[in-house]
Amino acid sequence: MRLRFLKLAVTVGIVLSVVGAIKSKDASSSGATALRKVGMIMLLVCFVIIGFIDLLFWQAKDQLMKHQKTLLNGISCGMPFLAVRVIYSVLSAFSGSSTFSTSGVSATSSSSLAQFNSISGSWQLFLVMSTLMEFVVVVIYIFDAEYQGTDTESPSTNHVPLYPQPAYYPPPQGQTYAKGG
């Protein structure tokens, strides 16, 4: 409940980045790069906050249950790869804009960050820093979720019902419940 502001900030950052990317297709839109930059800065700040929260949980790991420690390990293993992915996205947002045309993509920036542009930059950087890093994070999280499912001390194996079940009260001695027809 306390992380609602962080969730909202991540959502706003994603929306701003997507709107900026969509508007960048139109060469007359000058605010598109500003939206992308603001959105990516918001996502970077949120990532740093999540990293700080992760460190706080590591400090209190002795108070966590076994399945929570397993989850913390999985999240922490994915953080460095996710950091590379976020850094690439921020560098891409600040690399300048590319416009689409019928003859192909034309870069409008000659900065040193132009190689990080996800449209007109280096495809090798995009492959390694964006696609591969995201793939590794997804594999780590899937593996962690599978490991959580096989953990015998996990609360999920206690078969606790999601909804309260009606209690069964046996009839008083010598009486039976009438079967409804």
Side-chain angles (χ1 to χ4, degrees):
M1 304 301 165
R2 296 179 180 151
L3 298 177
R4 283 186 181 164
F5 180 73
L6 186 62
K7 291 178 193 177
L8 179 65
V10 168
T11 304
V12 169
I14 290 171
V15 167
L16 288 175
S17 297
V18 169
V19 169
I22 291 171
K23 286 189 176 186
S24 69
K25 293 180 181 179
D26 183 19
S28 64
S29 177
S30 61
T33 55
L35 287 175
R36 282 181 52 214
K37 289 177 183 179
V38 169
M40 288 314 305
I41 288 173
M42 285 183 70
L43 290 175
L44 179 64
V45 168
C46 290
F47 179 77
V48 170
I49 291 170
I50 291 170
F52 180 70
I53 292 170
D54 189 51
L55 291 175
L56 289 177
F57 277 113
W58 272 108
Q59 290 178 347
K61 73 176 181 172
D62 296 335
Q63 300 170 2
L64 300 176
M65 291 186 277
K66 184 178 178 182
H67 69 279
Q68 291 172 328
K69 290 178 185 176
T70 305
L71 184 62
L72 182 62
N73 285 333
I75 291 171
S76 298
C77 286
M79 290 294 280
F81 300 103
L82 195 56
V84 172
R85 174 66 173 97
V86 170
I87 290 170
Y88 177 81
S89 297
V90 171
L91 292 174
S92 178
F94 283 89
S95 67
S97 62
S98 296
T99 57
F100 297 100
S101 67
T102 56
S103 61
V105 177
S106 62
T108 59
S109 175
S110 61
S111 71
S112 61
L113 294 177
Q115 63 185 344
F116 293 103
N117 192 304
S118 57
I119 297 171
S120 62
S122 169
W123 68 268
Q124 295 93 345
L125 284 174
F126 177 77
L127 178 68
V128 173
M129 293 182 74
S130 180
T131 307
L132 184 63
M133 293 298 123
E134 189 137 356
F135 179 76
V136 169
V137 169
V138 169
V139 167
I140 288 171
Y141 290 166
I142 288 174
F143 177 76
D144 188 53
E146 284 297 315
Y147 183 74
Q148 284 284 89
T150 60
D151 187 5
T152 57
E153 294 182 30
S154 170
S156 63
T157 60
N158 292 339
H159 302 292
V160 176
L162 293 176
Y163 303 102
Q165 302 295 317
Y168 173 74
Y169 298 106
Q173 195 166 9
Q175 295 181 359
T176 60
Y177 286 123
K179 292 184 180 180

